[in-house]
Amino acid sequence: MIRSETKKLHNIDEWLNNAQSLHRMFYGKSNIDLNYEIEFTKNVANRKKDFFSNKEQCGNSELDGAMVLPEPPSGKYYILLDSKLSLEDWKYDLTESFTHELTHLEDYLAFAKDYCNNNYVDIPKHDYWLAFYFWSEYHAKWLGYRCMFKQLASVLETKQLYELANNHLMEKGNKNLSMYTARIYDKGDCDDYVSFLYEAIRYLA
């Protein structure tokens, strides 16, 4: 289900089906029950606070998206996305944000099932918490970018794709990743952009 504070969602059903298919292809099989709702909101950080009694834990940073596991648990989960992403004809950043947060959702629920007796509230108390936290951040970043550039690969030539991806990564502030992708591309170690972006992220993780 998709909810939005805005009136106009350009071809959002088509986009959603494509993004979910890409996510499933790269994430692999899952036995997790994903009862989630997608919600577009003008302020992700503020909306996220509505799901928690402790508002301070949510922070105030501007976000393109967020995965929400409500406290106390309700049996329903949320992926919040910034409304401005749904109004743009350019959907690739939206794909990256959505699949990034969906990856977190599956990661956290799988961890809760394996280590916390299905109680995700206990995840931060587990001995593996910090290792899991950083692993999921890497996993979500890798999968989100992979889905995004897989879409781009169908509409752009390789050189255009490389330049666009390089600029995108520079804007995100990850100059080391950007420079490493350039070295991989120049060496010709990978057959396509999706694979060498994956290698770069894996190398720097």
Side-chain angles (χ1 to χ4, degrees):
M1 180 178 179
I2 303 174
R3 296 181 58 209
S4 176
E5 295 175 358
T6 59
K7 294 181 179 179
K8 193 174 183 182
L9 295 175
H10 297 289
N11 301 320
I12 206 67
D13 290 332
E14 180 182 349
W15 161 80
L16 177 61
N17 289 335
N18 183 262
Q20 288 175 322
S21 296
L22 285 172
H23 177 268
R24 181 53 52 217
M25 177 170 63
F26 292 127
Y27 194 98
K29 293 182 179 180
S30 172
N31 59 356
I32 302 298
D33 181 19
L34 294 177
N35 179 24
Y36 67 93
E37 181 175 300
I38 301 169
E39 182 174 330
F40 288 89
T41 180
K42 294 177 181 177
N43 190 310
V44 172
N46 282 347
R47 176 65 178 126
K48 184 177 179 180
K49 293 177 181 179
D50 294 338
F51 297 94
F52 299 90
S53 55
N54 180 6
K55 311 296 184 184
E56 294 182 1
Q57 72 183 27
C58 300
N60 296 301
S61 300
E62 184 176 343
L63 302 169
D64 285 337
M67 176 273 294
V68 177
L69 300 173
E71 294 182 14
S74 64
K76 191 171 186 178
Y77 320 113
Y78 298 84
I79 292 178
L80 308 179
L81 298 166
D82 194 303
S83 295
K84 69 178 184 290
L85 297 175
S86 71
L87 296 173
E88 297 173 354
D89 290 329
W90 176 265
K91 288 291 189 297
Y92 303 105
D93 285 332
L94 180 55
T95 293
E96 190 272 325
S97 294
F98 168 68
T99 53
H100 180 113
E101 300 305 332
L102 184 54
T103 300
H104 278 317
L105 179 60
E106 291 210 47
D107 287 349
Y108 275 69
L109 292 178
F111 188 90
K113 181 178 181 179
D114 291 342
Y115 296 102
C116 301
N117 198 28
N118 279 318
N119 185 4
Y120 58 74
V121 176
D122 287 340
I123 291 177
K125 304 172 188 175
H126 197 279
D127 290 343
Y128 296 164
W129 158 238
L130 283 179
F132 166 71
Y133 171 81
F134 285 112
W135 174 81
S136 186
E137 285 300 329
Y138 151 69
H139 191 211
K141 183 63 69 177
W142 164 74
L143 201 146
Y145 274 132
R146 197 166 193 195
C147 290
M148 173 182 174
F149 289 111
K150 184 66 174 178
Q151 281 188 333
L152 284 167
S154 65
V155 296
L156 295 177
E157 298 293 333
T158 302
K159 183 177 180 180
Q160 293 175 299
L161 186 61
Y162 164 69
E163 292 174 350
L164 178 64
N166 194 64
N167 292 338
H168 180 84
L169 294 169
M170 291 288 282
E171 290 173 4
K172 293 289 187 180
N174 199 337
K175 295 183 180 180
N176 289 332
L177 177 56
S178 178
M179 288 185 287
Y180 188 74
T181 59
R183 288 200 294 273
I184 293 177
Y185 183 80
D186 290 340
K187 288 170 61 180
D189 291 345
C190 300
D191 294 331
D192 58 78
Y193 188 78
V194 170
S195 61
F196 86 70
L197 182 73
Y198 160 66
E199 291 296 334
I201 294 176
R202 186 173 67 171
Y203 175 83
L204 292 171

